[in-house]
Amino acid sequence: MPVARTRSVALLGLSGSIVEVEADLGSQLPAFLVIGLPDAAIGESRERVRAAAANSGCPLPARRLTVNLSPATFPKHGSAFDLAIAIACLAAAEHLDAGSAGSLVHLGELGLDGRLRPTDGVLPAVLAARRAGVQRVMVPAANASEAALVDGIEVVGVASLAEAVAWHGGDVEVTDVDPVPATHELEPPLAHPGDLADVVGNPEAVAALIAAAAGGHHLGLYGPPGAGKTMLASRLPGILPDLGLDQSLEVASLRSLSGLGVGGLSTRPPFEAPHHTASAASIIGGGGGRLIRPGAAARASHGVLFLDEAPEFPASVLDVLRQPLESRSISIHRASAIASFPASFQLVLAANPCPCGQWSPKGEACTCAPSVKRRYLSRISGPLRDRLDLELWVPRLTTTATSEGAAGLVSSAEARGRVERAREVAAERYRGTPWRTNAEVPGPWLRGAGAMHRGRRATVAIDRALERGGLTMRGYDKVLRLAWTLADLDGAEVPDAEHVGQANVLRRAPLWAA
């Protein structure tokens, strides 16, 4: 038949759209054209498809082949269109059943020998296909387990183009070939070693960490080197509640788009800790070319983004987080498209108080001039600090504090139980709204329609601070949200003046007043 059709998926960010792949077999001079706004990788598919078809025993005819990727105005990128282009061309050449080819979505990159290679982004592509009503997809054998994570859709895993042609009723000899394996680790490294009970002699820091987990609050940790800031931050994912099915699928989809591999769904929150030499694109996402990949902030969604040695990050890198912290989403604009990723992460910043690291509120020896200390701390901009819900001073431990603190240790399991109970209370309070944690509630609703403002008796201190300019309106709302979290942890129905006062104290670490 002169024209045959099948389908594939074009991804833009975490969302995908069905693309109809049409192949027309003309009688003009031999040529192979791919139209419909393809990128360079799709343009190169012409040679991969022609060689793969010939080496699979079903060569393309020496005629003019025109492949159209529709809708033509939507940008397409990546080598995952190879299989769909090959199947459409072979269906047009009557090497296989055209009706069968049109009933599936095809994803996969072809090698010159006809084998199918795994591609990135298969999980979000299959999710997009299911949302579009597709019932069956064909993917490379190495991606079959990843695609099978999506319920309600049949996955056909094939190792070669010959196997795919035979599945569609083509008369071709299928030889056993070794599937091209995935080039990355399939099991996601989302497990977080270490227990909260390892933190000895710092009960205030443990309590603040539990409060941050219970309300989903952003946290700043400051203190001298070796005080335990990194240890505290690495224990935060271990006390967060398990992820739901939709959250697990979103986390796995982001890993798939990043090329990290997905061997199964993890119920534990992710933990991202980029080095301070990371670029803005690696944190927020994007990268060169037309392919837009998620960055560390997106991969940390429903988990923790930890920036250790925060003042060592370039200021431009830190400040790209301002907007995602407010909107909980990331929009990356390109000339031809806009890609969106989720950014519902908890930010944890860790920093020394000065370049030498020896300053403390107790007046320990510090070799840094005041101007040097101010310049060092100013690398974390005021607007970014204003988006932190808690700031905590982590002191250097002494032998006495270590021995005394060993008696009241809190394990991660115990802390997670408290966090889950507090989150259940908050979820019940916000039933019928799009929010589930205190940190998500917008300020206008908090003070208005939600009727969660406790009045002047409980908030007199922060009212006065707001009037004097000691608190911004954003900071005022963050104190209220944190006060509700502290009340939830204490089992109180509403926060009182003590909860509000404690939240106000946790709002700023002592070094900022120094």
Side-chain angles (χ1 to χ4, degrees):
M1 62 182 299
V3 178
R5 297 177 179 84
T6 187
R7 290 173 292 176
S8 190
V9 176
L11 290 173
L12 184 57
L14 204 56
S15 61
S17 299
I18 295 294
V19 172
E20 188 175 58
V21 182
E22 303 172 300
D24 174 70
L25 191 60
S27 56
Q28 296 93 335
L29 291 174
F32 196 158
L33 303 176
V34 180
I35 60 176
L37 210 59
D39 70 350
I42 299 176
E44 293 171 352
S45 67
R46 298 188 301 265
E47 305 306 323
R48 291 194 295 269
V49 168
R50 192 181 293 278
N55 291 324
S56 299
C58 47
L60 297 176
R63 295 167 61 182
R64 183 183 181 89
L65 267 171
T66 303
V67 176
N68 179 43
L69 308 178
S70 179
T73 57
F74 193 85
K76 296 97 182 170
H77 56 259
S79 57
F81 286 89
D82 285 5
L83 180 58
I85 292 173
I87 292 297
C89 291
L90 292 172
E94 299 184 346
H95 282 297
L96 53 86
D97 180 52
S100 176
S103 66
L104 271 73
V105 162
H106 297 84
L107 301 165
E109 176 186 334
L110 285 172
L112 298 182
D113 58 356
R115 290 190 300 169
L116 278 170
R117 300 179 177 276
T119 59
D120 299 336
V122 164
L123 181 57
V126 175
L127 283 169
R130 186 186 67 176
R131 287 192 293 267
V134 175
Q135 298 180 346
R136 190 179 293 162
V137 297
M138 182 176 286
V139 299
N143 290 128
S145 60
E146 177 182 338
L149 296 174
V150 182
D151 292 332
I153 196 165
E154 180 183 346
V155 177
V156 180
V158 292
S160 65
L161 179 59
E163 189 177 342
V165 171
W167 195 94
H168 285 301
D171 185 12
V172 65
E173 181 182 355
V174 180
T175 58
D176 291 334
V177 297
D178 294 328
V180 179
T183 57
H184 40 58
E185 182 66 34
L186 286 180
E187 291 301 325
L190 299 179
H192 312 291
D195 194 276
L196 189 60
D198 298 335
V199 181
V200 180
N202 206 336
E204 294 84 3
V206 171
L209 198 70
I210 294 174
H217 302 290
H218 305 304
L219 176 65
L221 299 172
Y222 310 99
K229 303 184 295 294
T230 302
M231 175 184 283
L232 282 165
S234 64
R235 269 55 176 181
L236 179 56
I239 65 176
L240 291 175
D242 286 341
L243 302 178
L245 177 59
D246 291 342
Q247 294 173 327
S248 296
L249 279 172
E250 189 169 85
V251 169
S253 295
L254 288 163
R255 287 182 57 82
S256 178
L257 275 175
S258 303
L260 300 178
V262 179
L265 293 182
S266 173
T267 59
R268 297 305 303 146
F271 181 74
E272 291 285 333
H275 192 260
H276 63 258
T277 56
S279 65
S282 69
I283 297 292
I284 211 70
R290 296 171 64 178
L291 181 60
I292 302 176
R293 293 185 180 272
R299 295 195 302 270
S301 283
H302 309 299
V304 177
L305 176 63
F306 175 46
L307 302 184
D308 199 6
E309 303 294 345
E312 301 299 331
F313 282 80
S316 59
V317 173
L318 291 177
D319 285 340
V320 298
L321 293 172
R322 291 191 202 172
Q323 198 169 346
L325 287 174
E326 288 295 304
S327 64
R328 296 184 177 270
S329 65
I330 296 171
S331 294
I332 299 175
H333 292 243
R334 294 290 184 265
S336 59
I338 300 175
S340 296
F341 298 107
S344 56
F345 57 87
Q346 280 187 253
L347 177 65
V348 179
L349 298 179
N352 296 325
C354 59
C356 77
Q358 301 305 313
W359 183 93
S360 80
K362 296 182 178 179
E364 294 180 13
C366 174
T367 61
C368 302
S371 60
V372 173
K373 175 176 175 289
R374 285 194 300 270
R375 192 180 308 117
Y376 184 77
L377 293 178
S378 66
R379 296 180 186 177
I380 306 175
S381 67
L384 180 61
R385 295 205 318 266
D386 198 46
R387 286 163 168 82
L388 298 177
D389 302 312
L390 298 89
E391 287 190 342
L392 185 68
W393 174 259
V394 184
R396 182 179 284 117
L397 296 182
T398 62
T399 305
T400 303
T402 302
S403 58
E404 291 178 351
L409 299 180
V410 179
S411 68
S412 290
E414 294 171 333
R416 191 186 310 138
R418 292 188 61 196
V419 168
E420 289 173 348
R421 288 190 293 272
R423 288 209 175 192
E424 288 171 2
V425 172
E428 180 64 27
R429 181 166 60 245
Y430 303 129
R431 178 177 292 184
T433 72
W435 315 296
R436 290 295 175 268
T437 62
N438 293 317
E440 299 173 23
V441 180
W445 188 90
L446 182 77
R447 292 174 272 107
M452 294 177 63
H453 192 281
R454 301 317 309 155
R456 297 192 60 84
R457 179 173 296 181
T459 61
V460 60
I462 59 175
D463 290 340
R464 191 178 298 118
L466 181 65
E467 292 295 329
R468 293 198 309 264
L471 269 180
T472 64
M473 198 67 239
R474 179 191 291 120
Y476 186 92
D477 291 337
K478 286 185 178 297
V479 171
L480 287 179
R481 295 187 192 105
L482 182 54
W484 275 97
T485 298
L486 297 175
D488 293 340
L489 287 169
D490 288 345
E493 291 187 6
V494 294
D496 55 22
E498 183 177 349
H499 293 127
V500 175
Q502 185 180 357
N504 194 29
V505 170
L506 289 172
R507 170 77 178 143
R508 277 287 177 261
L511 73 165
W512 301 118

